[in-house]
Amino acid sequence: MTSSASSIIHDVYEAAVTRNAGEPEFHQAMWEVLESVEAVIEQHPEYAEAAILDRLVEPERQIMFRVPWVDDAGRVQVNRGFRVQFNSALGPYKGGLRFHPSVNLGIIKFLGFEQILKNALTGQGIGGAKGGADFDPHGRSDAEVMRFSQSFMSELYRHLGEHTDVPAGDIGVGGREIGYLFGQYRRLTNRHESGMFTGKSVLWGGAEVRTEATGYGAVFFLEEMLAMRKDGIDGRTAVVSGSGNVAIYAIDKVQQLGGRAITASDSSGYIVDEAGIDVELLKQVKEVERGRISSYADRRAGARFIADGRVWDVAGDLALPCATQNELNGSDAATLIGNGVVAVAEGANMPCTPEAVHAFRDAGVLFGPGKAANAGGVATSALEMSQNASRQRWDFESSEEKLHAIMRDVHHSAYAASEKYGHPGDYVVGANCAGFVRVADAMLAQGLI
Ligand code: NDP
Ligand code: 2IT
């Protein structure tokens, strides 16, 4: 007798938890996917026969390395670097690098695992990977960030390449870090290989709209979900967390579409600006000065800074968590629901805890999971790779139109799969099933590797 889909899924999960002990974020991301694809496993016994799930949860390759560097005081510092090359069935490994003190192998694995299905959903021919280091760029000088980045790349470069593995930014890795990392790769390999990194400056091979893409894309996805209920962003208020790359451009797009984004946050607290966030001031504080969010409130009449508390206590129609994993819990979700939230789009990766996701689902709140809602960043990275390969340069307007079309397509794929697999309108199930089927079919076709 063949096992039921449910018991196959439980067996795969339990074996993976045992094998990857002490990695709660990876377990969480894995379980969310496994429980969503039950109907797919039922309909496709060939996936279980080929052990697709068992293979999917085991990275193709994991790299961990020492990153020694010298700080401005002349002291030797040692960090740990990571690159988890999770799955290359659909294309070269692709995914960002995160520099944050909380980085460990389990966090990189959760992000790499999410990236497999997210990248599949974009339809752009990219595999899944993630990397980073437990380095904290906050308070470090440019020279320290450069020395760290150079040391990090001195090991990682041998594992990268435009047809092998193509990193990009994530938390703590933006234009400055990408410049130093790319420079060191070029020096070590003697190749100006534009297609080996995305998120580059537009001065030397970067794509228009890549900087804006994740935030803009999340709002495009939100717009598509709202349109299913004949609703829109115009006139709506949005509560946004984070004040980095994703948050800034999510706020920007909400306001371009006639909404009002009234909050932003960082690890020191949050600001409320009922008049709508002044995006130029936010960029000045966070991108140019690399300052704390309180300095926005210091300079803007009517805005206030709250050091203790939850940004999700602020009432709004729309919520966009754009900072980090598990930043919105079940109790935050209950508060948002009580305040009448109608839609949530995850700009960050896995920002909502499972309790929060269930609460939104039970309350009928539209919910766009990160692997669909924030796919615009990596999708535009794939557009950057296309431009690098063909030595073309597309302008801002046409690039934004391509991003918009991709986000409509991601929404359509996720919605169609939610219907096909028996959970219409559940974008968690839809995104996971749509992405999974693409990867599983490619793995089946390519044999046992
Ligand atoms: P940034 O480094 O530009 O900004 C991160 C923001 O989140 C900062 O405001 C930071 O505050 C806050 N933050 C980070 N970690 C924590 C924490 N542990 N507790 C509280 N606040 C925190 O990163 P991005 O905007 O690029 O990334 C944000 C999220 O979006 C991440 O989940 C990332 O994986 C995801 N993402 C990013 C994409 C991209 O293209 N950049 C693409 C798709 C998803 P502080 O400065 O105080 O630490
Ligand atoms: O989480 C993500 O999708 C990213 N950090 C962007 C990855 C990429 O390769 O552009």
Side-chain angles (χ1 to χ4, degrees), residues 164-359:
T164 307
D165 185 352
V166 183
D170 194 80
I171 291 175
V173 178
R176 174 182 60 171
E177 292 74 18
I178 291 171
Y180 296 145
L181 291 161
F182 183 83
Q184 183 72 352
Y185 181 89
R186 184 168 64 73
R187 181 190 198 188
L188 291 167
T189 59
N190 195 27
R191 284 166 63 89
H192 191 114
E193 190 185 324
S194 305
M196 61 66 59
F197 217 111
T198 63
K200 303 180 296 294
S201 161
V202 291
L203 291 173
W204 36 275
E208 295 288 354
V209 188
R210 178 61 189 88
T211 304
E212 296 82 358
T214 311
Y216 279 18
V219 178
F220 289 146
F221 191 89
L222 186 60
E223 206 182 17
E224 293 299 311
M225 290 198 299
L226 288 164
M228 298 296 287
R229 294 193 182 165
K230 312 240 171 308
D231 203 340
I233 287 172
D234 193 19
R236 296 291 202 175
T237 52
V239 182
V240 181
S241 66
S243 52
N245 174 263
V246 180
I248 289 173
Y249 293 98
I251 290 169
D252 192 21
K253 185 52 77 178
V254 163
Q255 302 196 150
Q256 284 177 22
L257 295 175
R260 194 158 42 90
I262 57 172
T263 63
S265 70
D266 66 13
S267 52
S268 65
Y270 68 93
I271 51 150
V272 185
D273 186 349
E274 296 287 351
I277 300 284
D278 176 340
V279 174
E280 288 314 310
L281 177 58
L282 186 63
K283 283 190 196 172
Q284 176 64 28
V285 169
K286 298 303 293 188
E287 288 183 343
V288 179
E289 299 170 15
R290 298 181 187 277
R292 305 316 287 157
I293 197 75
S294 57
S295 102
Y296 176 98
D298 295 342
R299 284 186 246 176
R300 170 96 164 157
R304 57 187 203 278
F305 170 68
I306 295 104
D308 303 315
R310 311 284 297 166
V311 67
W312 312 118
D313 290 343
V314 179
D317 306 311
L318 312 170
L320 286 144
C322 297
T324 194
Q325 64 273 358
N326 292 327
E327 56 162 317
L328 194 166
N329 62 30
S331 142
D332 298 323
T335 307
L336 285 165
I337 293 163
N339 284 333
V341 74
V342 297
V344 180
E346 293 188 320
N349 285 307
M350 206 170 75
C352 297
T353 64
E355 295 72 31
V357 178
H358 288 133

Side-chain angles (χ1 to χ4, degrees), residues 94-96 115 118 130 168-170 198 210 349 377-378 381:
K94 183 82 196 89
Q115 202 82 46
K118 182 196 304 189
K130 202 81 183 193
D170 194 80
T198 63
R210 178 61 189 88
N349 285 307
V378 75
S381 280

